Amino acid sequence: MITLVAINARYSHSNLAVRCLRHALKEQGIKCDIIEKSINDDMKTVLPILYEKKSKYYGFSVYIWNKEYVYALAQDLKKLLPNCKIIFGGPEVSYDAYEVIKLDFVDYIITGEGEKPICELLKNPDKEINQVVTKQYDNTAFVPNKNLPFVYEKEDFKELENRIVYYESQRGCPFRCSYCLSQNDRIITYKDKDEVIEDIIKLDKN
């Protein structure tokens, strides 16, 4: 059992990453829940919600806008549930993963795309595995990707009513701007345009 935690910049936002991970986990028969809050929520109200889950694993998406909040939240959660495993992912920990993993409340960091490594980690909990799970690409490549599924479920749309819903038609960035963490990606994947249109119709209907 894993609880995926999204701490957004504001209530009107939503988190696509945790829904991508949920889709991948469910395909592998791994049970997961999503807790979605914002940095404006009092941490004293969020922490008990996570604690009540009593999950073996907690996965956090870490970004520049929620880094301090997530660090404090994960650290307190680890104190309450010392046997749980804390997994960090996202751009704000990926680029400096080997420094972040030194924090005593972080058990694993997944860098780059998370769907495959998080499934492998949870399917083989007793297998010895590197604390930092990473994959590097030497050259930039553009490839079609049938593994960018439509990750929204029916119940999501009720929860996301009057909120921003994000959609992924391409993963990765072709540019190498020195100030952007996306420059570390070396592969760009994209969905077929007909599939994108079908997905947008699904979004519009909901």
Side-chain angles (χ1 to χ4, degrees):
M1 168 73 175
I2 181 171
T3 296
L4 302 173
V5 185
I7 304 296
N8 301 323
R10 58 184 64 185
Y11 173 77
S12 60
H13 292 180
S14 61
N15 187 290
L16 177 60
V18 292
R19 290 176 171 85
C20 291
L21 296 178
R22 177 187 64 185
H23 184 275
L25 290 164
K26 284 191 171 183
E27 282 198 327
Q28 296 297 318
I30 300 171
K31 185 180 179 182
C32 69
D33 286 328
I34 288 177
I35 300 296
E36 194 164 12
K37 298 293 181 180
S38 84
I39 57 175
N40 298 310
D41 289 309
D42 189 339
M43 199 178 301
K44 293 178 181 178
T45 67
V46 177
L47 184 60
I49 294 172
L50 300 184
Y51 175 76
E52 288 174 5
K53 290 291 181 181
K54 298 291 199 306
S55 295
K56 182 176 181 179
Y57 295 91
Y58 290 87
F60 293 84
S61 292
V62 188
Y63 304 92
I64 191 170
W65 62 82
N66 71 6
K67 179 179 176 180
E68 292 184 6
Y69 189 108
V70 168
Y71 275 37
L73 181 62
Q75 187 173 25
D76 285 348
L77 181 62
K78 190 74 168 181
K79 291 175 182 176
L80 293 174
L81 298 171
N83 293 323
C84 79
K85 300 296 184 182
I86 301 293
I87 305 171
F88 275 5
E92 199 58 24
V93 295
S94 292
Y95 80 100
D96 200 16
Y98 288 97
E99 289 300 315
V100 178
I101 199 65
K102 294 176 183 178
L103 299 171
D104 59 4
F105 58 90
V106 180
D107 295 288
Y108 297 100
I109 293 177
I110 294 176
T111 69
E113 295 181 314
E115 290 94 334
K116 185 176 179 179
I118 199 169
C119 289
E120 291 178 348
L121 176 61
L122 269 63
K123 286 174 68 177
N124 301 283
D126 298 323
K127 181 180 178 181
E128 185 175 348
I129 188 169
N130 291 332
Q131 286 180 301
V132 177
V133 185
T134 182
K135 185 173 183 179
Q136 299 293 334
Y137 298 95
D138 296 327
N139 299 300
T140 300
F142 293 81
V143 296
N145 190 341
K146 295 296 184 181
N147 297 317
L148 293 179
F150 186 79
V151 298
Y152 289 101
E153 299 180 356
K154 188 174 181 180
E155 58 268 24
D156 288 330
F157 294 105
K158 185 175 181 180
E159 296 174 4
L160 298 176
E161 188 175 358
N162 299 320
R163 295 170 66 185
I164 299 171
V165 176
Y166 295 93
Y167 175 77
E168 185 178 42
S169 63
Q170 174 183 300
R171 183 174 291 183
C173 180
F175 304 106
R176 294 290 170 261
C177 302
S178 61
Y179 55 82
C180 181
L181 295 177
S182 292
Q183 69 162 317
N184 295 325
D185 294 332
R186 291 292 181 260
I187 192 166
I188 295 93
T189 59
Y190 60 89
K191 297 180 79 168
D192 180 80
K193 66 178 182 179
D194 292 332
E195 189 177 357
V196 171
I197 292 172
E198 290 178 6
D199 288 348
I200 291 174
I201 291 172
K202 291 178 187 177
L203 288 171
D204 184 57
K205 286 182 178 180
N206 289 280

